[in-house]
Structures are given as C-alpha cells and as structure tokens.
Amino acid sequence: MDLLNGLKAAEPVRPHAFEEARAVLRAAMAVEGVPETKTPPRRRSRWGMRRTVGLSAAALAAAAAAAAVLVATSASTPGKPPAKAAANPILAKLAADISPLRAKAPGDATLEIRNQSPTSDALGGNGIGLFTDDGTYYWGNDKSALRRAIVAKSGGDDVFKRDIAAALSAVKGDVDTARARMAVANIAPGTHPDPERAREEKLKALAKARGKKYVPPKPRTPEQQKEITDNHIWANAIDALIAAPENPQVRAGVLRIMATMPKVKVTKTTTAGQPTLTLADGWPVAGKFAEKLVINAGTGRPVALSSSGSDVRPSTTYYHTSRVTLADVEAGKF
C-alpha cells in the first residue's frame, strides 16, 4: 500500500505518531474502496497514544482528513440497521461483575509505561505517560520530560474525556445510546465535516494519482455501515480503557459496549501466568490488518495490545500502570 511507505523508523516521539500512522492505514482502506464481499472492513478512525513511529506531515494531514470522513460517514448515513446481535456472554458477565465496584484507587492520576515486556515496567522507547482522572493526558520520553510537561502545562490532551464519558454512560444507561456516543467520541463538538464530499475528493485524487478514471463508489449497505461504526467504537473504547484503567466503572462500560460487537472474538488466554481474555478484531483488506486487546480476566484491566497484517510489522505493547498524585509527579516524587 502506497501510503504505508510514509512510515519509517524514528527516534522516540510523542505517541500520537503511531495512531496517526494507523489513521493513514485506515485512510487508505477508505479511499481504496470496499471489495465485493460480505465482510467489509472496519476502519480505524482516531489517534490516541499507544505506540511510536515517524510520519511525514503530508501523511498526517491525509490521515486526519480521512479519519474525519470515516467517523462522520458512519454516524450519519441513513438506512435500516441490521438486526441486533446477542451480547457476548463472556464480556457481558465480566461487565456485570465489575459494575457494582467503585473507584477507590489512591491518588488522582495513573502513571503508564508501555513496553514490550509482560512482566517488567522498565522505561523504554515508548516513553512515559500520565492520565489524570479527568481524562487529561501528558507524555514525556522520560520522567524528567514528563515532569517538565506537567509543570509547564504543555501538551496536555483532553481527547480522552469524551471516550471516558461514553464508557460511563454504558454502565447503567441504554447501551445503544452509549454505542452511538462512543462511535463519535473522537470528533470535537461543533465540527460537522461533509463526509460524502470529502470521500469523493479523496477518491478523485487517488484516481488521478494512479492515472485512472474516477468511478463514483457504490453506496454502503446498512451492514457495511454497522461494521464501519463498530470499528470506530472498537478504537475509541480501547482509548477509554487505556486512559482510565483503574476505574472499574469505565472498564464495565467498555466491556458492555464491546459485548454488542459480533465481529469481536473473545478467547480465554494466559499472559505471564495470569488468566486473561483476548479480544480480536480484524479488517480483511489493506493487508488484512488485525488487532488483539488482552485484558485481565477478573478485572478487565488492559494488559496488552497487538497489531499485525501483511503490510504492517507485527508488534505487541504491554501496559504497566501505577497510581500517583499529580502534585507528586509535578514535584518529581515518582
């Protein structure tokens, strides 16, 4: 895939870059069209802070534009929705077990280290991040850089707040309403992109670059729209889970939402000697891109996230978290 040529090895940078790279991948999937198949792709629509690669400015701009198109299209396209599938019993039970719990973890923020080890929390190339309990995120390539960012109030991102709010709404509220909120949680309020026009322009540009005649795409079927929407929900729900791993209400809401997604496969697994559940989702075009989210089987806390595909180097990132106070981190006491 041509857009993947924009990916390259780079020095550690702010983890936004990896998600922007994934947005480029999903943008390519969008403009290349959906093949004649009963299993159309689900597309990644937003960038959070999960891993690290370098991208050109042009690639990032293309990713952002296409991501906005995909989310808005999935949320606004009319049509009769497919029949509702039964909730996944494993995820539904875990959500029910967690729902009565209340957040009692000490501190007011979660410190997060991401690396390639299931047992060691050693700081690596992915740097170190801090999620405050209100959803604000800070990052640095080491502890000193993280402290400087917090002291200077530099780079604090609040993009996770809507993800967290959508997850919380699913705990006791209507799950379909929560799904709708999660599907567009990455879209800033007040923004209303014209999805069809943007998609048409993307396809025209791609056809011109390939020296081919532009052919208008076929309208998506309700089934295709649901699968696209489920991909947005998958992506945003993972962001919520990673942003608030110590909040049992957020975990319960995410699980309740994911239990409604029939394409997500759940397998009982073991990770570093601990019982886990592996949730898998995939997209059959663009190199058959796939993701697996590993969570603790008893608590629902995120353990790892892996990605693979013929056009993507396989990788697994493990999450190591601890509770802290923002004041201590700002003072360098961590």
Side-chain angles (χ1 to χ4, degrees):
M1 182 180 300
D2 294 340
L3 282 176
L4 288 178
N5 292 332
L7 304 181
K8 59 183 179 179
E11 292 300 314
V13 296
R14 188 173 179 77
H16 269 306
F18 181 81
E19 291 305 326
E20 289 165 337
R22 297 177 67 200
V24 171
L25 172 63
R26 303 300 167 84
M29 294 169 70
V31 297
E32 286 180 3
V34 179
E36 294 295 327
T37 172
K38 293 184 179 179
T39 312
R42 291 166 295 281
R43 301 175 175 97
R44 175 66 170 164
S45 63
R46 64 106 31 86
W47 40 93
M49 293 83 176
R50 294 191 196 145
R51 273 161 281 175
T52 307
V53 292
L55 278 177
S56 68
L60 299 186
V69 172
L70 294 177
V71 177
T73 301
S74 70
S76 61
T77 301
K80 183 180 178 181
K84 186 181 296 185
N88 181 285
I90 297 176
L91 297 184
K93 182 181 185 305
L94 182 55
D97 291 343
I98 296 173
S99 293
L101 304 179
R102 293 293 178 264
K104 296 181 179 179
D108 58 10
T110 298
L111 196 68
E112 179 194 73
I113 293 175
R114 310 178 187 197
N115 60 25
Q116 281 64 56
S117 171
T119 56
S120 171
D121 62 357
L123 193 62
N126 288 328
I128 184 170
L130 182 83
F131 294 94
T132 66
D133 287 348
D134 70 355
T136 304
Y137 180 79
Y138 294 94
W139 180 86
N141 57 10
D142 57 28
K143 289 185 176 181
S144 296
L146 176 62
R147 177 178 176 271
R148 289 195 299 271
I150 294 172
V151 170
K153 299 295 186 288
S154 172
D157 297 304
D158 61 1
V159 295
F160 295 100
K161 292 183 178 181
R162 292 186 297 276
D163 300 321
I164 292 172
L168 290 173
S169 73
V171 180
K172 294 182 179 180
D174 179 71
V175 71
D176 288 333
T177 301
R179 276 176 51 89
R181 291 184 62 178
M182 189 65 81
V184 296
N186 54 298
I187 300 179
T191 59
H192 300 285
D194 184 341
E196 291 307 318
R197 181 174 180 180
R199 183 183 181 214
E200 180 179 321
E201 292 302 319
K202 282 287 177 182
L203 287 167
K204 286 180 178 178
L206 183 63
K208 182 177 180 180
R210 292 176 171 176
K212 296 181 179 180
K213 181 181 178 181
Y214 167 69
V215 178
K218 294 181 179 180
R220 294 189 178 103
T221 66
E223 170 99 14
Q224 289 172 331
Q225 270 316 133
K226 184 179 184 302
E227 292 199 352
I228 292 170
T229 300
D230 276 356
N231 172 243
H232 300 157
I233 293 170
W234 164 268
N236 294 337
I238 289 176
D239 283 347
L241 191 64
I242 292 172
E246 299 300 324
N247 188 329
Q249 295 294 291
V250 172
R251 300 196 304 267
V254 166
L255 292 170
R256 191 164 183 237
I257 289 173
M258 284 195 168
T260 68
M261 300 165 63
K263 298 294 184 181
V264 174
K265 305 302 180 185
V266 182
T267 307
K268 295 181 179 180
T269 52
T270 301
T271 304
Q274 299 298 315
T276 53
L277 297 175
T278 296
L279 287 62
D281 202 354
W283 301 267
V285 299
K288 295 183 179 179
F289 188 80
E291 285 187 332
K292 292 182 179 180
L293 171 68
V294 181
I295 62 175
N296 183 283
T299 66
R301 288 186 177 89
V303 174
L305 181 70
S306 63
S307 62
S308 62
S310 59
D311 294 318
V312 179
R313 179 181 299 176
S315 78
T316 299
T317 296
Y318 292 92
Y319 301 97
H320 306 276
T321 61
S322 58
R323 292 292 291 177
V324 296
T325 66
L326 184 62
D328 280 349
V329 176
E330 190 170 353
K333 300 176 181 179
F334 69 106

